[in-house]
């Protein structure tokens, strides 16, 4: 689920949080399975278990799996602002108009190429010619993509409830 992936990002690190030093994918998965709850609660419970482990109290993750006593949580872990950013991201609205390719303005391309790449006009026109040729070629579209369309369910053979000898004159 999405929330589990976000919690995993908190433990392992991502663009928005540095993660917990000493916890890798294996331990993160074990911890998240052991500390099931809503929202940030599993992460705060893991942090509390680590603090308990450091105090010397023997609990589930302090014996052979005592790695929680040795991990290093970043300051402010888990950051609620990061959780909100993941769970309610700000995204640009999708435009309602349909996207359509326009035609290439060759003169603008030539002028851009001359100023940006320091090309001569002939070189710019040579570079754009194959693109213009492809753009003017009618596109062939495939109406049905066999790999993407579902196969019809196999039909069972029709079973007759009579014998062939009953059909023949005799």
């Amino acid at each position: 689920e999405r929330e589990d992936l976000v919690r995993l990002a908190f433990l392992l690190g991502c663009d928005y949080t540095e993660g917990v030093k000493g916890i890798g994918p294996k331990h993160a998965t074990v911890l998240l399975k052991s500390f099931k709850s809503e929202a940030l609660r599993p992460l705060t419970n893991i942090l509390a278990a680590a603090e308990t482990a450091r105090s010397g109290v023997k609990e589930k993750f302090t014996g052979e799996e005592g790695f929680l006593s040795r991990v290093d949580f970043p300051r402010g872990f888990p950051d609620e602002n990061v959780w909100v950013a993941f769970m309610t991201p700000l995204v640009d609205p999708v435009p309602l108009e349909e996207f359509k390719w326009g035609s290439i303005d060759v003169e603008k391309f030539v002028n851009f190429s001359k100023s940006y790449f320091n090309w001569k006009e002939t070189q710019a026109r040579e570079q754009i010619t194959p693109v213009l040729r492809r753009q003017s070629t009618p596109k062939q579209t495939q109406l049905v993509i066999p790999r993407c369309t579902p196969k019809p369910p196999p039909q069972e053979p029709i079973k007759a409830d009579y014998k062939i000898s009953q059909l023949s004159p005799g």
Side-chain angles (χ1 to χ4, degrees):
E1 286 191 37
R2 180 179 182 184
E3 288 187 355
D4 289 332
L5 289 174
V6 172
R7 289 184 200 105
L8 198 62
F10 268 92
L11 293 172
L12 299 177
C14 66
D15 290 347
Y16 305 114
T17 184
E18 64 185 90
V20 180
K21 290 182 178 119
I23 295 180
K26 179 181 171 185
H27 283 139
T29 305
V30 168
L31 287 169
L32 290 177
K33 285 181 181 178
S34 299
F35 291 91
K36 280 280 191 196
S37 190
E38 298 295 316
L40 290 173
R41 175 72 74 190
L43 300 172
T44 56
N45 290 343
I46 292 167
L47 179 60
E51 290 169 358
T52 301
R54 284 191 199 110
S55 70
V57 176
K58 296 289 183 194
E59 286 194 355
K60 182 173 184 178
F61 294 100
T62 58
E64 192 173 303
E65 298 175 311
F67 64 92
L68 274 183
S69 63
R70 300 183 305 271
V71 298
D72 185 23
F73 289 86
R75 187 181 326 145
F77 180 89
D79 187 336
E80 191 170 338
N81 292 322
V82 174
W83 180 264
V84 170
F86 270 118
M87 300 313 292
T88 55
L90 299 175
V91 294
D92 293 332
V94 177
L96 298 176
E97 70 273 358
E98 184 180 330
F99 176 80
K100 293 183 180 179
W101 287 101
S103 56
I104 298 172
D105 186 331
V106 176
E107 295 311 311
K108 281 186 180 177
F109 176 80
V110 169
N111 290 334
F112 174 80
S113 301
K114 285 166 57 177
S115 64
Y116 191 77
F117 301 121
N118 204 23
W119 288 356
K120 296 181 181 178
E121 182 176 342
T122 54
Q123 184 180 8
R125 290 188 185 280
E126 285 173 6
Q127 295 298 320
I128 197 67
T129 300
V131 175
L132 293 172
R133 219 177 285 130
R134 269 185 268 143
Q135 188 180 34
S136 65
T137 304
K139 299 192 176 35
Q140 296 179 356
T141 57
Q142 186 174 355
L143 298 177
V144 177
I145 302 173
R147 293 184 318 207
C148 296
T149 55
K151 293 181 181 178
Q155 294 195 359
E156 302 223 1
I158 300 172
K159 296 180 181 177
D161 58 351
Y162 47 81
K163 295 180 182 173
I164 296 209
S165 62
Q166 292 174 327
L167 297 175
S168 57

